[in-house]
Amino acid sequence: MDFWTIFRIIHVAAGIISFVAGPLAMGFRKGGRSHEMAGNVFFWGMAVTTGTGFIISLVNGGVFLLMISVFSFYSVLFGRRALEWYRGGMPGWKDRLYQIITIIFCLGLIALGFYVLFTNPQNQLWVIAFFFGVLGTIMIGSDIRKTQKPRSRIFWLRAHISGMIGGYIAATTAFSANTLNMLPGLVQWLWPTLIFVPVIIAYQRKYTPKTARV
């Protein structure tokens, strides 16, 4: 068994672990030990999955999946950092650095969308690249604004929920794009967003008191 085969097995195994641990973390009581353990497994599974996916994309020339890997790990990392801020930490220059790096990649997705549109408009990839590029740019721009001043604990709790589930959406999208070829083109790319964005909204409403000022 050669190195790249082992590398791909690690990538797939970490992805499976993440896909299982993510819903478990969503289902367990927030703040409980089981939730924390599942969340840690999900985070490190995502770290390995996106890291290996990044390298595989570089080797195979998969520019779009390369950018999605960066965006998905950004969401999970921001969610994890938001939990630290919820516990009393403060955003620093390292947070600003990974935000800037990721927004550059999102702008790269938009540029890829333009390239595909003008060179092969029949390819629906340009729609997907625009969608995720614009969405990511708006989200990260909002995150940069949010981290420029102190916020309430409940604000960071909501950011934690959004970031972790957002990372799960991105990872599921990458999985669907690579494997679920029986689905129609746009459905193959967009179903995770359509399913899990309402989950984010539901969780934020559940864990945000009506009187909270954020």
Side-chain angles (χ1 to χ4, degrees), residues 112-129:
L112 176 63
F114 275 113
Y115 174 78
V116 175
L117 175 62
F118 288 115
T119 58
N120 186 15
Q122 290 76 28
N123 188 342
Q124 292 181 328
L125 176 62
W126 73 267
V127 179
I128 307 301

Side-chain angles (χ1 to χ4, degrees), residues 35-112:
H35 172 75
E36 183 176 352
M37 290 178 62
N40 284 331
V41 171
F42 171 67
F43 174 81
W44 290 111
M46 283 291 294
V48 174
T49 302
T50 54
T52 53
F54 186 93
I55 295 172
I56 290 171
S57 298
L58 283 176
V59 173
N60 294 337
V63 177
F64 180 75
L65 290 178
L66 170 70
M67 295 180 182
I68 288 293
S69 294
V70 173
F71 180 62
S72 62
F73 188 65
Y74 165 83
S75 296
V76 174
L77 181 59
F78 184 80
R80 188 177 179 89
R81 290 290 292 147
L83 186 60
E84 296 178 17
W85 303 328
Y86 169 80
R87 293 169 175 169
M90 289 292 294
W93 68 268
K94 292 181 181 179
D95 299 297
R96 188 70 68 241
L97 178 62
Y98 73 72
Q99 288 171 334
I100 292 173
I101 290 173
T102 311
I103 207 168
I104 289 172
F105 271 85
C106 288
L107 293 174
L109 275 178
I110 296 173
L112 176 63

Side-chain angles (χ1 to χ4, degrees), residues 200-214:
I200 293 176
I201 295 172
Y203 269 112
Q204 290 205 348
R205 287 178 177 175
K206 181 178 180 180
Y207 290 98
T208 303
K210 293 181 180 180
T211 57
R213 295 179 62 120
V214 296

